[in-house]
Amino acid sequence: MILWEALGSVVIGLAVSCAALRWLPARFGQFRSRPLALATGPAAALFGALLAHSVLGPGHTAAALAVSLGVAVALVSLLLRQGEKARRSAPA
């Protein structure tokens, strides 16, 4: 059963990465590196699923996959670079 959780979490992470690369740059900015974003999603989701599995124990597949989704979304969102807006500091 652990194998299915791992595979499911990697698929979830890849879906999060692909969705973020497809829809987010037009609204919020751009990603620093496309390959980095594609690698971060599955790695973060796998880490989240393994963390949830170790805390909850076996038999909580849905909860482990939900945690993997949350961790993947959180870490992929950290890769966004804000748009080029002119920021002015206060006059001295």
Side-chain angles (χ1 to χ4, degrees):
M1 189 56 78
I2 295 173
L3 178 67
W4 294 112
E5 284 181 18
L7 287 175
S9 67
V10 168
V11 168
I12 286 172
L14 194 58
V16 166
S17 294
C18 289
L21 286 171
R22 182 174 173 94
W23 289 304
L24 288 181
R27 294 181 61 189
F28 296 111
Q30 293 186 354
F31 283 94
R32 294 175 187 359
S33 170
R34 182 177 175 86
L36 179 63
L38 287 173
T40 300
L46 184 62
F47 175 72
L50 292 175
L51 183 68
H53 183 79
S54 66
V55 170
L56 298 173
H60 296 93
T61 304
L65 292 178
V67 170
S68 73
L69 175 67
V71 172
V73 168
L75 288 182
V76 168
S77 71
L78 291 176
L79 296 176
L80 274 176
R81 180 175 23 181
Q82 295 298 321
E84 302 295 326
K85 295 180 182 177
R87 294 185 183 185
R88 295 186 171 209
S89 61

